[in-house]
Amino acid sequence: GATRELGRFWWERSPQICGPRGGEPLDVEATRNGFRRLTEEINGFMKKEGADKELTTDEVAFGFIKVANEAMCRPIRALTSARGFDIRSHVLACFGGAGGQHACAIARSLGIGTIFIHRYASILSAYGLFLAKVVEEVQEPCSCVLEADQYQELAGTLNRLQEEAEEKLVKEGHGRESIRRNLFLNLRYEGTDCAVMTALLDKEERRKKIEKEDIAAFSARFLSSYKREFGFLLEGRKILVDDIRVRAEASSGEEEEGGSMEEDEECLKLSTEDAEQVVSVYFEGGRQDTPVFLLDKLRRRRRVTGPAILLDDISTLLVEPGCEAELTRDKDVRITVGKEEVKQRSEELDLILLSIFSHRFMSIAEQMGRTLQRTSMSTNIKERLDFSCALFDEQGGLVANAPHIPVHLGSMQDAVRYQVSKWQEDLEEGDVLMTNHPCAGGTHLPDITVITPVFLGRSSPVFFLASRGHHADIGGIAPGSMPPHSRFLFEEGMCCETFKLVRKGAWQEEGVVELLNSPAKHPGCAGSRKLRDNLSDLRAQVAANQKGVLLLNELIAEFGLDLVLSYMHHIQSNAELAVRDMLKETAQARISSSSSSGKRNVDGEVKEKQLVRLHAEDAMDDGTPIVLNVEIDINNRSAHFDFTGTGTEVYGNCNAPRAVTYSAIIYCLRAMVRKDIPLNQGCLAPITVTIPPGSILFPDNSAAVVGGNVLTSQRVTDVILKAFSYCAASQGCMNNVTFGDASFGYYETIAGGAGAGPTWDGRGGVHTHMTNTRITDVEILERRFPVMVKAFGLREGSGGGGMRRGGDGVVRELLFRRKLELSVLTERRVLPPYGLMGGEPGKVGINLLFRHDGRVLSLGGKNCVTCMPGDSLRILTPGGGGYGKQGEEGVSKQEEQTRTVFSVGNAASGSLKNYEQMQYSA
């Protein structure tokens, strides 16, 4: 619709396949009327917000195109960044019927200078199938070191597999002379999990025997690929061969001669007189007369300067102003993309730019995360993805994040703000800060935050970039630094309130090693058991932040610093507005519900029709209550969250730093907002919070907190969602399992059941709410650690029943192959996840230890035990609560209002959902 409205699509040539019977043309007038109504709605909103400028229908339609282009750029940036490629040095290959409409704009946004569009681009998949070669691959596992001494074994296997693949193709009727081969070794460094499938040749060739020098060629290609993808090499490590593979291919009989991108013959430039027609097309800045050329009538080696439209029966190519298209000898199209002039834009709010900047800021955080994942060393970060990256304004307020770990993201801004106030004028260009202390915005000690200030030539930082990663071990009384029975903070590992990890560009290794070894000074504690991994992961965090700095500089070069700063604050203001609207809708729904029922609501109280009070409480398994009273002011569209009545600090490790509670609040607010906004500081602008000092949510600085981050945070989340009647409780636990010895520590969190809501069943076997990690692949876990996975699947029937069922938990069983120290740190082993609106609760979790001599022991919710070879741990995680009474046809007034306010379709349109869709589309 937008392309037609802007004149970019020549609808007269479109096939008449619309309407109920499939024989009608496109309804152009319906498109125009739709955009007129939309323009009126947008201008009405802008006027209400005090904006003077009104948008035209063209500007609104063009806004849709710009936002769509930026959304397409995000996965391209993410994937190329993840593989270590500089996208600017590549050619953009365009395919699909609509691809040519967006190619120039996307190439400009990505910094690509050349576009190649095949003559059959719109049906390239079908054409490719027609030309596809017949391929046969054979693969065999291997376990040896890549070195000259292994030549005989590797050569013998490779030569045998070549013959096997060739024979399969010969049996299908292909001649031996037409068969080409390539040889692959799946290689990785010793002690790492990321293998790189390494080809011996650049393309398939007629090759028979493997030579001794090919071993060195494989090694050189692996080192080159590893350095490009991960950013570093591991000196002194052996290279291991995991798999051997041979790929053989035979021609299908139809081959296309590859055309060259470089052609010496001069192109003849076409003028408007050669055009079929001249139409009015809208580009940024206004409409321009644009010639339309029919590709079928153009001769080879012709050149067209944009703006122009190139048209054939199956596609429409838009050549934007400043770009130039050439028709090659093969009648493919090559477009040279000119640089777009940096335009002076107003710093006032523009809804189109707001959406574009939202995508760009989130894209920066996503690419930081990709860099961190590929350059890190530990399983926790590289495989489990237990990290977060985000962008902050000059005061440390969260602007945008990638959808990583919710408990990190809400608390990281407290960490950044603490460092801003701590250092003030003492920060310099080239400094990078490190912190993990709960008093400084930390969550628990293994989560180390690395913060990079960005100066851009000014005397004080203009932005901050930060990454937080869960380190596998930072010392303390137990391997993995997740002890179930810690009483004091020092028992949980290294504590760092603030430290300059990099000072004026110089890496401070001596100082950070001293910090990581410092827990050993306490009785019964050890320093870091994985020092090498700690240092590698910290370097990876610094590299991730630096990637963000480079991307921010590119954004500023494109739009200007003042505009970027303005839209950082516009995005925060937009999030604030969305939360205020949600609070007002919730309050009005409660008032309506109470008025129609004629009685006080069970979970909330209406006071003077202008204030709405919500209440909820739950408890930890030890009985410590978590109490919340929310007072919503309808006039101000604000709310006060009061945790008065919550239990006192505990003599254990389920105490949660204040930053964790703020994380839970900002996460829940973002989850309940129906608009597509990034999670940022603006979500908390309408909120005030009271947390009583000395409570489990505001403990002393010396209190143990390792369980507060992973357990209490989930209970706070459940209580908030219960107060708003949003959904039933999820598993309410991260099911933390840690094992190791003096040489290593391994940590994982296990999925469970999600709570059901008014319009959805809970998901089974998922990480819920404050965690968003992945679990380590079975193959990697068994290869790298002395355990075997005996069972891993859904715990059927553990979700609560109801009109909407809660999700099922999981069963996971690990068999230990040597003597190890095991720790389990879990909740919801006593009190089940609640159901809502008459729904049944989910089942509680169970932790069982099966001794090799046949004894079965219940470990309870929190325990530490020595496991012997042959012992196995079986974890049954909790299910989610159900929603509504089972078999009940009618719904209560409050439930009806809840359905209206919290529509699942809209609730599933946030940053996490967009991220998931982006991965699938990529």
Side-chain angles (χ1 to χ4, degrees):
T3 54
R4 169 62 195 92
E5 184 66 21
L6 298 173
R8 300 174 172 213
F9 177 67
W10 207 7
W11 67 273
E12 292 91 343
R13 285 179 62 94
S14 63
Q16 296 189 9
I17 55 174
C18 303
R21 297 177 182 174
E24 300 177 23
L26 293 172
D27 192 339
V28 178
E29 199 57 38
T31 301
R32 288 174 179 158
N33 290 335
F35 272 106
R36 287 192 193 105
R37 289 193 299 270
L38 188 59
T39 303
E40 290 172 3
E41 183 180 342
I42 292 172
N43 285 331
F45 172 82
M46 296 292 290
K47 187 175 182 180
K48 188 171 66 174
E49 294 298 311
D52 296 329
K53 180 187 174 184
E54 287 194 353
L55 297 178
T56 65
T57 304
D58 281 344
E59 289 172 328
V60 170
F62 187 59
F64 275 90
I65 297 291
K66 291 175 69 175
V67 173
N69 288 340
E70 190 56 46
M72 286 187 274
C73 288
R74 276 179 63 189
I76 299 173
R77 290 192 187 101
L79 287 172
T80 52
S81 175
R83 287 162 174 76
F85 291 105
D86 182 357
I87 196 170
R88 294 168 297 184
S89 62
H90 289 72
V91 173
L92 181 67
C94 175
F95 62 93
Q101 285 276 337
H102 304 270
C104 290
I106 288 175
R108 272 194 173 124
S109 183
L110 296 173
I112 295 175
T114 304
I115 302 167
F116 181 78
I117 305 174
H118 192 275
R119 61 188 178 280
Y120 298 133
S122 62
I123 54 169
L124 204 56
S125 297
Y127 186 62
L129 286 173
F130 173 68
L131 296 175
K133 292 178 170 36
V134 179
V135 175
E136 190 67 52
E137 288 190 356
V138 288
Q139 185 166 321
E140 194 170 285
C142 181
S143 182
C144 69
V145 179
L146 184 68
E147 55 189 14
D149 292 345
Q150 299 292 330
Y151 162 70
Q152 294 294 341
E153 179 182 347
L154 291 171
T157 303
L158 283 166
N159 291 331
R160 175 171 53 81
L161 292 180
Q162 284 189 83
E163 293 173 5
E164 184 180 327
E166 182 176 309
E167 286 304 317
K168 289 183 177 181
L169 290 175
V170 170
K171 286 180 180 179
E172 293 180 15
H174 300 281
R176 294 184 186 275
E177 67 283 352
S178 69
I179 298 174
R180 302 289 185 269
R181 309 168 189 82
N182 205 347
L183 315 179
F184 300 85
L185 297 181
N186 201 25
L187 304 174
R188 64 181 174 88
Y189 275 119
E190 185 180 34
T192 68
D193 307 308
C194 292
V196 178
M197 189 61 77
T198 307
L200 179 60
L201 307 168
D202 289 323
K203 62 180 181 179
E204 281 68 27
E205 294 182 1
R206 294 189 64 186
R207 181 185 180 89
K208 193 70 176 175
K209 295 295 183 182
I210 186 80
E211 306 293 342
K212 198 164 187 176
E213 57 268 21
D214 291 330
I215 301 299
F218 270 120
S219 178
R221 280 180 167 263
F222 168 76
L223 294 175
S224 175
S225 298
Y226 196 95
K227 179 68 179 293
R228 186 195 69 239
E229 186 164 341
F230 298 106
F232 59 89
L233 297 176
L234 301 178
E235 302 294 342
R237 296 261 189 128
K238 293 179 180 178
I239 300 173
L240 306 182
V241 183
D242 280 347
D243 302 281
I244 300 174
R245 188 172 85 185
V246 170
R247 173 189 173 95
E249 65 175 39
S251 171
S252 61
E254 296 287 345
E255 291 197 35
E256 181 184 70
E257 292 293 330
S260 172
M261 285 288 294
E262 304 295 333
E263 299 185 6
D264 297 330
E265 184 182 345
E266 185 179 354
C267 285
L268 299 178
K269 185 175 181 180
L270 297 176
S271 66
T272 306
E273 296 175 357
D274 301 306
E276 192 76 14
Q277 186 178 343
V278 176
V279 297
S280 175
V281 178
Y282 185 88
F283 298 95
E284 187 156 13
R287 286 189 171 267
Q288 296 187 37
D289 289 340
T290 303
V292 178
F293 298 93
L294 299 182
L295 283 169
D296 292 341
K297 294 185 178 181
L298 295 182
R299 299 177 63 184
R300 293 171 172 79
R301 307 301 297 137
R302 295 297 184 266
R303 179 162 49 96
V304 176
T305 301
I309 292 175
L310 306 181
L311 194 67
D312 64 14
D313 291 334
I314 54 178
S315 62
T316 302
L317 312 182
L318 181 70
V319 184
E320 294 198 354
C323 300
E324 191 170 72
E326 298 177 16
L327 201 62
T328 69
R329 286 194 302 265
D330 299 317
K331 300 206 79 172
D332 302 320
V333 177
R334 180 177 61 208
I335 300 176
T336 302
V337 182
K339 289 189 176 180
E340 192 175 22
E341 295 181 10
V342 178
K343 299 179 177 64
Q344 289 295 324
R345 293 182 172 93
S346 169
E347 295 175 22
E348 292 182 5
L349 176 62
D350 180 297
L351 293 180
I352 296 167
L353 279 178
L354 183 72
S355 183
I356 289 172
F357 272 105
S358 293
H359 281 289
R360 292 297 291 269
F361 289 144
M362 286 186 68
S363 177
I364 289 172
E366 287 165 1
Q367 290 181 76
M368 289 171 63
R370 297 277 188 168
T371 300
L372 177 53
Q373 182 188 2
R374 72 182 181 87
T375 57
S376 61
M377 175 75 73
S378 70
T379 302
N380 265 0
I381 294 178
K382 187 174 288 293
E383 299 297 331
R384 290 185 54 250
L385 307 184
D386 197 345
F387 64 82
S388 296
C389 299
L391 167 65
F392 302 83
D393 63 25
E394 70 280 5
Q395 297 177 339
L398 178 63
V399 174
N401 59 275
H404 292 145
I405 312 299
V407 75
H408 290 173
L409 296 167
S411 57
M412 280 172 71
Q413 66 181 11
D414 285 358
V416 176
R417 284 176 166 172
Y418 184 91
Q419 300 303 318
V420 171
S421 63
K422 184 79 175 177
W423 290 96
Q424 294 182 1
E425 305 300 324
D426 292 333
L427 288 176
E428 300 180 76
E429 188 85 42
D431 288 348
V432 180
L433 307 174
M434 180 182 81
T435 180
N436 73 336
H437 202 291
C439 77
T443 46
H444 60 184
L445 297 182
D447 288 341
I448 299 178
T449 305
V450 173
I451 302 166
T452 301
V454 183
F455 288 83
L456 297 177
R458 299 193 177 185
S459 58
S460 59
V462 181
F463 315 108
F464 291 89
L465 294 154
S467 54
R468 176 174 287 178
H470 185 112
H471 287 242
D473 193 292
I474 56 165
I477 61 175
S481 305
M482 292 287 292
H485 294 315
S486 54
R487 300 288 184 264
F488 301 97
L489 190 65
F490 69 80
E491 295 176 321
E492 298 175 352
M494 175 201 74
C495 301
C496 175
E497 185 179 338
T498 185
F499 175 72
K500 283 194 176 182
L501 184 63
V502 179
R503 186 183 293 270
K504 295 182 180 179
W507 171 256
Q508 304 296 301
E509 183 156 332
E510 184 177 341
V512 74
V513 168
E514 183 180 345
L515 277 170
L516 287 164
N517 286 328
S518 63
K521 67 185 179 185
H522 299 289
C525 296
S528 172
R529 300 165 183 86
K530 298 289 286 183
L531 183 60
R532 184 170 67 173
D533 282 7
N534 293 137
L535 295 176
S536 294
D537 286 350
L538 286 171
R539 291 191 191 99
Q541 288 181 255
V542 173
N545 290 2
Q546 185 59 30
K547 177 69 172 180
V549 172
L550 296 175
L551 294 171
L552 260 178
N553 283 329
E554 290 180 9
L555 189 64
I556 291 166
E558 183 177 347
F559 290 99
L561 176 59
D562 291 338
L563 193 69
V564 171
L565 288 172
S566 296
Y567 274 88
M568 280 190 169
H569 299 300
H570 286 323
I571 285 171
Q572 291 172 330
S573 299
N574 185 52
E576 175 186 345
L577 181 64
V579 171
R580 289 189 187 277
D581 288 345
M582 183 275 293
L583 292 172
K584 183 177 180 180
E585 289 174 10
T586 301
Q588 289 174 336
R590 284 298 175 92
I591 289 174
S592 175
S593 175
S594 291
S595 299
S596 61
S597 64
K599 61 181 181 180
R600 179 177 297 177
N601 185 278
V602 175
D603 297 315
E605 177 185 350
V606 180
K607 180 183 177 183
E608 298 177 0
K609 297 295 184 182
Q610 299 305 316
L611 295 177
V612 172
R613 288 177 175 170
L614 313 178
H615 171 80
E617 58 183 275
D618 204 340
M620 306 293 289
D621 278 352
D622 65 0
T624 303
I626 308 292
V627 179
L628 173 63
N629 289 289
V630 180
E631 188 173 81
I632 302 176
D633 186 325
I634 297 180
N635 291 335
N636 293 333
R637 296 184 300 164
S638 61
H640 180 68
F641 284 63
D642 187 355
F643 289 91
T644 300
T646 293
T648 61
E649 175 186 322
V650 297
Y651 189 57
N653 60 26
C654 281
N655 303 294
R658 291 176 71 245
V660 169
T661 300
Y662 279 90
S663 290
I665 293 172
I666 195 173
Y667 162 77
C668 291
L669 291 171
R670 176 60 192 90
M672 292 186 289
V673 166
R674 294 186 292 166
K675 297 176 181 176
D676 186 10
I677 59 169
L679 184 150
N680 62 49
Q681 170 60 25
C683 294
L684 285 178
I687 308 299
T688 55
V689 182
T690 297
I691 305 174
S695 70
I696 192 174
L697 304 182
F698 195 164
D700 185 80
N701 287 342
S702 63
V705 298
V706 71
N709 178 62
V710 293
L711 303 178
T712 312
S713 65
Q714 297 282 52
R715 192 69 77 260
V716 174
T717 303
D718 281 341
V719 169
I720 295 170
L721 296 176
K722 184 179 183 181
F724 282 83
S725 300
Y726 182 70
C727 63
S730 293
Q731 64 162 336
C733 177
M734 297 187 193
N735 302 296
N736 306 271
V737 174
T738 311
F739 57 82
D741 55 22
S743 64
F744 81 96
Y746 171 77
Y747 167 64
E748 72 178 19
T749 57
I750 305 175
T759 59
W760 69 90
D761 293 321
R763 292 279 187 93
V766 294
H767 284 284
T768 57
H769 295 322
M770 302 307 285
T771 180
N772 188 31
T773 58
R774 230 166 34 185
I775 201 158
T776 307
D777 290 341
V778 172
E779 296 82 0
I780 291 173
L781 180 64
E782 293 182 342
R783 183 171 64 201
R784 191 163 181 181
F785 300 102
V787 296
M788 292 181 63
V789 180
K790 292 183 65 177
F792 189 35
L794 287 176
R795 182 189 178 193
E796 294 186 7
S798 56
M803 184 180 65
R804 296 288 184 175
R805 285 195 58 83
D808 287 334
V810 303
V811 179
R812 185 168 174 84
E813 187 167 352
L814 302 176
L815 174 70
F816 300 100
R817 297 192 288 114
R818 80 177 195 217
K819 183 179 178 181
L820 295 171
E821 293 297 318
L822 167 69
S823 299
V824 291
L825 185 58
T826 60
E827 273 283 324
R828 293 291 193 197
R829 267 54 183 175
V830 178
L831 301 176
Y834 63 79
L836 205 61
M837 300 295 177
E840 297 175 3
K843 288 186 178 180
V844 297
I846 305 172
N847 304 330
L848 300 174
L849 181 66
F850 292 78
R851 290 294 193 184
H852 63 283
D853 60 5
R855 295 172 63 202
V856 181
L857 306 175
S858 174
L859 297 180
K862 303 167 182 66
N863 221 322
C864 186
V865 62
T866 300
C867 293
M868 305 305 293
D871 291 349
S872 60
L873 171 71
R874 182 182 296 170
I875 300 281
L876 293 85
T877 68
Y883 190 99
K885 292 181 180 179
Q886 193 163 8
E888 188 176 80
E889 295 182 5
V891 295
S892 67
K893 187 68 176 177
Q894 180 178 344
E895 185 179 340
E896 184 180 326
Q897 295 289 351
T898 302
R899 290 188 182 191
T900 302
V901 175
F902 303 124
S903 160
V904 67
N906 290 322
S909 64
S911 58
L912 186 59
K913 184 67 177 179
N914 288 345
Y915 182 76
E916 179 185 353
Q917 291 173 339
M918 186 186 75
Q919 304 312 305
Y920 290 144
S921 66

